[in-house]
Every structure is written in structure tokens, then in C-alpha cells.
Amino acid sequence: MVNKSGPTRRSLLTMIGKVGGTLAMYQAMTALGHAAESKFSGPPRLSGTRQGTKVVVLGAGLAGMLAAYELRKAGYLVRVLEYQNRPGGRNFTIRGGDTYTEVGGATQTCQFQPGNYMNPGPWRIPHHHQTLLYYCKQFGVELEPFIQMNHNGFIHQTKAFGGKPQRYRELSVDFRGHVSELLAKSLHAGGLDQTVSKEDKERLIAALREWGLLNGDLKYETGLTTSYDRGYERTPGGGVGGEPVASKINDLSELLDSKIWSQMNFYTNHVMQTTMFQPKGGMDMIGKAFGRQLGNIVTYNAKVSSIAQDDNGVSIAYEDIKTGRKSEVKADFCVCTIPLAVLKQIDPQVSKGMKAAIGAIPYSGQLKIGLEMRRRFWEEDYGIYGGHSFTDQHITAISYPNYDFFKNKPAVLAGAVSRGMGAYALAGMTPERRIEAALAQGSVFHPAEYRKEFMNGVSWAWSRTPWSLGCCALWTDASRAQHYDNLVAMDGRIVLAGEHASYYGCWQEGALLSALNAIERLHKRALAA
């Protein structure tokens, strides 16, 4: 009699949540079929708008612009105030000639060749981010594939394989093979007879034999069979000497040192799956397209200094950054998309609950570095076309460009896609030292080419960005339980929107979904006023 008792899905998810938090549990829910795709069912239907109702939107990032676009379409009189001199917010692109100054006063001027660029913020769009994809199509933003997963990329761990990077394809296949061998032998020896039925046991062993590339003795070993997946020592050729030579598999102990499962999990993450897109010409093509829809209802270079409200409406004080002129906008309602790290310094006139929520949520400090190289040596010398290579150094990863393949001209790769303590360590350096660090650490992947082909570089430290003071909101299970409902509530005549006001944090999709939800509630409130 087979004992089919075991942890329920509910108890399993609870355990995962306790160990890894909300994100880990969400990923597990996805794997078990519980998590939904992006909750977008089309643009909002806002009917019955009262003539003359005014709404002021603070921030011309994607959340603010989508709110303004749909509200104006519904008949509201909309005004947008934006701190910067461009639309898009964190959706933007750095190109040659751009100059920017970070907190602390360090100024950089990008020297990239024409056509080259770096996306410091968002840089890829998952296939299930239906809101963003819908509006890209509506506004004529041309998209192209973003190569997320590249089996030819490298994995580097300082304490694994003597510090020498290994191809992802080799490590992932070896991990699959060794784990399959262990499980198959355990099944064959009856180690799981109390858990698996006889019929399932036979089918599972057959599956592991095929999936794990095991031989007749259920062993994963060096040979042409394993090389067919992991790559050859000498690839198959034609004519005389065309016989391939098998590559040597890694033993299990070395493999565990590489922590390859982290990258394998990364690529199967719900939002990191391999069908992804990017706008042709840079991520800011999206922000520009939204901006064109709004035209002159956006006031740029407007630094908001006060957000007040009463029973009759809202009053927003702002200053023109260029001229210093102070002005005021009055409206019936306000949609505020200002990042929380900045908003709490403005001290908006909202309830104690919302104010506490605004002040309670810290921001992450990701960092990116763009390195312009004289030629595409990663393609020509290593056969890498797009995708990433990962390391346990401060730079975290490098990412190879997904456009202009095979071109004989300079190209920009992301020399650091850093997060956590690594990002803060790099952000604490001068821009010049960041570039040096990126060159030193990235050379582990391409030692002969990195410095030889380097032309120039720029860095973007989100923790030092004056208009956001961080990359995106860092919610925890505890802070969501205590503050989330207060943050997203309709507070009198003010409602917040942005990635911070969603469960899809750090993604443009979350910002857009929060904006749609916010304006639907605002519209309902306006009709009832």
C-alpha cells in the first residue's frame, strides 16, 4: 500500500513563504499554477464624467502618464507636473552627449558612439506584461526580442573551479544529470517505495534516464550523449577528422560550489522567463510615445514643494527649476506618482495612515554600468549573442546587447547589473573608480579583450539619483500587512500610483496596473462627490 500522505500545497507554500518571503512564495505559486498573469483586461471604461472636473497628476513616469491619458480620454481636465525635462521617469535611456549629476555632485558625460545606448532603469518586457505591451502597440512603439537566456553565457563563483568561469550550459546539464542519477538510483533501490507507486516509479525512472542523460546503469558520465547537450571538447566536423570528442563532465562536489541552481531558478522565475522584448532604439521610446499622447498638458522642470487638500479639492505648489518661478495648481483631485523616498520629504497633507506608509518603505539601490567596446568580441570570440554572465563579485552580472548583431562598429554591454550590497559598494565610489571596478571584475569573463577593447563608460547609481533616491520600493510581508492598504487607499482627494503601489514592484507593469486601479477609484469618487 503506497503512502500518499505528504505536505499539502497550502502547507508547502506557507513553509516557502516563511523561509524566502513573499517573492519566493509567489514564484512557488506560479510553479504550482496558483499565480495569475498580469491582471489587464483592456483599458478602463470611465463613463459619466462630470464636465469641468480637474485632475492634477504629479509625475510623468509611465504611471502618471497613463493616468493622465485615460482620465483625459474620459473627459477630465488634466494637468501633469514633472520634475525632469522629459517624460518617462525611470523609463529612460542614456546616449552619447547626455550629461547628468548625481547626489554628491559627481557629473558624467556619456561618450557613446551614435546609435549606442544604455537603459539605466527598465530594460526588458516579459511576455505576460500585457498592459505595457497593449499601450506599446497602441502608441506605435516597435519592439524586438530581448535575449534573456543564453546557454553560452558564463557563471563565475570566486571559490568554484579555481575562480575560472564556466559555461552555463555545461553546469546546468551536469546539475540535471547528477541529480537525475541520484534520484533514479534511489528509486531503483526502493528508497521511495512508500511515496511513489510501482507504475509511477517505472515511468519516473524512464523519464530521469532520458531527461538526465543517464546510461543503462542509471549513471551520468562523460560521453557523446552528455556532450550533445553540454557541448563538445571538439565539435563535430566534416570530412577527415570530423569525429567529435566528448567534453568531460564536472563532478558533483565542484558543481555544488558553483551554485548553478541560482541561475537555473532565475531563468524559470515567473517574470524572468525567456520570451521578453525591448523597444527598438532604447527603452525611452516608450516614455517618448506616452509623452506624445499628452502633449502640452505636461509641465516639465516642475519641482513640487507642497501637496495640500481640503473638502473642496487639492492645491499643489511647485517651482520652475530653470527660472525659480513659483506657481500653484488647483484641482478637484490628485494622482500622485512621486517615488515614496522623495514624497516623504514633501510631507503631503494626507491621513496619518498614508503618511506612515509613505515613510515606512525603503528603496533599493541597483546600479548599472555601460561599457562601450571597440568591437563585439563576445560574439566574435565567444559565440555569445545576448543574454547574461553571472558572478559573485560586486558587478553581479554583465549583459550583452540585444541589437546590432554582427555589426563591425563599437557596441555597449552592461558591465554591471548590480544589486544589494554590491550595488551600494560601487555607488560609494567615484564614477571613474566604478568603471575601473567594472573592467577589473568583468575581465574574469573576457581577460584578453576587456581592457584592450574598452573605449569609455558611464554608470548610474539609483541610490544617488536625486529625483527618485532609489530604484524601487522594498516591501516586506510585514510592511505590506501594516501599510499597503493605507498607501493605496483613496485618501480624501488624493490617490497614489506607481510600482510602489502594486504587488508587481520594480516593474513597469506594476506601475501601469496601479495607475489604472487608482483612476478607476478616483472616477468612482468623483461621480459620488
Side-chain angles (χ1 to χ4, degrees):
M1 185 73 176
V2 176
N3 179 10
K4 295 185 178 291
S5 64
T8 64
R9 288 191 175 191
R10 181 184 296 275
S11 63
L12 178 60
L13 289 170
T14 300
M15 178 183 68
I16 293 172
K18 288 180 178 179
V19 174
T22 301
L23 181 58
M25 185 166 67
Y26 184 81
Q27 294 167 5
M29 288 172 67
T30 300
L32 295 174
H34 289 305
E37 301 287 331
S38 171
K39 295 181 179 179
F40 179 69
S41 57
R45 296 172 177 84
L46 309 179
S47 59
T49 302
R50 294 183 179 181
Q51 187 174 3
T53 304
K54 297 179 181 179
V55 179
V56 59
V57 176
L58 306 183
L62 295 198
M65 289 193 290
L66 179 57
Y69 172 78
E70 291 294 353
L71 286 170
R72 186 176 66 166
K73 193 169 70 172
Y76 288 91
L77 301 178
V78 182
R79 177 91 177 271
V80 182
L81 301 179
E82 167 54 42
Y83 175 83
Q84 300 183 85
N85 63 356
R86 58 165 181 82
R90 281 163 279 185
N91 172 301
F92 74 112
T93 301
I94 296 175
R95 296 182 176 82
D98 290 343
T99 297
Y100 49 97
T101 301
E102 61 187 37
V103 172
T107 298
Q108 301 177 68
T109 299
C110 181
Q111 301 176 40
F112 293 163
Q113 297 293 301
N116 287 340
Y117 61 83
M118 178 181 80
N119 296 315
W123 53 324
R124 51 195 168 189
I125 306 171
H127 68 277
H128 49 69
H129 284 193
Q130 294 300 316
T131 320
L132 183 54
L133 293 174
Y134 172 85
Y135 284 100
C136 283
K137 185 175 182 179
Q138 289 293 109
F139 299 161
V141 180
E142 187 175 1
L143 302 178
E144 62 187 359
F146 179 101
I147 299 174
Q148 171 74 341
M149 184 179 188
N150 190 328
H151 288 257
N152 232 18
F154 289 102
I155 305 299
H156 168 254
Q157 289 284 332
T158 306
K159 297 181 180 180
F161 299 99
K164 183 180 179 181
Q166 307 294 309
R167 298 281 190 175
Y168 172 84
R169 66 170 188 268
E170 298 171 356
L171 299 182
S172 62
V173 173
D174 287 350
F175 186 82
R176 192 177 79 201
H178 282 301
V179 171
S180 295
E181 177 182 339
L182 292 172
L183 180 54
K185 287 184 175 179
S186 177
L187 284 164
H188 186 69
L192 296 174
D193 283 355
Q194 297 302 309
T195 305
V196 181
S197 69
K198 181 180 179 180
E199 181 183 25
D200 285 347
K201 171 182 173 179
E202 293 174 353
R203 291 189 296 181
L204 188 52
I205 289 176
L208 290 169
R209 190 193 306 276
E210 182 177 344
W211 185 66
L213 308 175
L214 308 182
N215 63 18
D217 296 325
L218 301 180
K219 187 175 181 180
Y220 178 71
E221 61 181 6
T222 295
L224 293 180
T225 298
T226 55
S227 296
Y228 186 78
D229 277 24
R230 74 188 307 278
Y232 299 88
E233 179 69 25
R234 185 178 69 199
T235 57
V240 176
E243 181 181 3
V245 174
S247 58
K248 184 178 182 299
I249 66 172
N250 296 300
D251 66 42
L252 180 59
S253 180
E254 284 184 312
L255 193 61
L256 294 176
D257 288 338
S258 75
K259 300 180 181 179
I260 183 60
W261 57 86
S262 298
Q263 278 68 50
M264 296 171 74
N265 286 343
F266 173 81
Y267 286 128
T268 57
N269 182 306
H270 181 57
V271 293
M272 293 296 182
Q273 291 171 19
T274 55
T275 304
M276 305 187 92
F277 305 96
Q278 65 180 14
K280 279 192 173 182
M283 185 56 71
D284 65 348
M285 295 300 172
I286 297 176
K288 290 176 179 178
F290 273 77
R292 285 193 295 270
Q293 299 298 318
L294 300 182
N296 60 9
I297 72 169
V298 183
T299 300
Y300 295 104
N301 299 304
K303 181 180 180 180
V304 173
S305 57
S306 174
I307 303 172
Q309 66 171 322
D310 56 28
D311 292 339
N312 298 315
V314 297
S315 178
I316 311 298
Y318 71 95
E319 177 185 338
D320 187 302
I321 296 174
K322 289 186 174 180
T323 66
R325 180 183 176 184
K326 299 183 186 312
S327 302
E328 185 179 58
V329 173
K330 291 185 177 294
D332 297 290
F333 298 95
C334 172
V335 178
C336 178
T337 69
I338 297 173
L340 301 182
V342 176
L343 182 59
K344 66 182 178 182
Q345 299 183 7
I346 299 174
D347 192 23
Q349 187 180 348
V350 293
S351 67
K352 289 183 180 180
M354 178 174 280
K355 190 168 291 189
I358 292 170
I361 310 304
Y363 269 53
S364 61
Q366 284 93 321
L367 178 143
K368 287 185 185 177
I369 297 176
L371 302 176
E372 187 170 49
M373 302 293 186
R374 290 183 176 84
R375 66 183 181 92
R376 305 174 77 93
F377 57 80
W378 49 91
E379 296 177 4
E380 297 168 0
D381 302 348
Y382 294 84
I384 298 174
Y385 299 87
H388 321 286
S389 289
F390 297 91
T391 176
D392 59 354
Q393 302 173 98
H394 287 333
I395 60 172
T396 304
I398 65 175
S399 185
Y400 306 96
N402 294 283
Y403 63 98
D404 285 349
F405 293 115
F406 307 106
K407 294 291 180 66
N408 292 317
K409 65 175 187 177
V412 175
L413 60 76
V417 185
S418 188
R419 61 185 184 274
M421 294 308 297
Y424 285 110
L426 291 168
M429 302 177 183
T430 64
E432 294 78 15
R433 286 188 60 204
R434 292 174 201 158
I435 300 300
E436 172 56 32
L439 289 173
Q441 294 176 29
S443 292
V444 73
F445 298 115
H446 309 290
E449 301 85 5
Y450 229 58
R451 291 185 182 277
K452 178 183 177 182
E453 305 296 345
F454 172 70
M455 295 174 63
N456 59 81
V458 294
S459 63
W460 189 274
W462 280 101
S463 60
R464 290 182 172 271
T465 301
W467 43 268
S468 68
L469 299 178
C471 186
C472 47
L474 284 176
W475 286 98
T476 64
D477 292 346
S479 62
R480 282 202 187 274
Q482 183 176 359
H483 295 295
Y484 185 78
D485 287 346
N486 287 331
L487 187 81
V488 301
M490 187 81 201
D491 194 295
R493 291 177 174 268
I494 297 173
V495 65
L496 306 189
E499 57 83 22
H500 50 270
S502 79
Y503 271 82
Y504 234 137
C506 279
W507 289 95
Q508 296 173 105
E509 185 74 5
L512 296 177
L513 289 171
S514 78
L516 294 177
N517 181 267
I519 63 174
E520 287 174 345
R521 288 183 289 121
L522 183 152
H523 181 65
K524 184 177 180 180
R525 170 75 170 80
L527 294 182

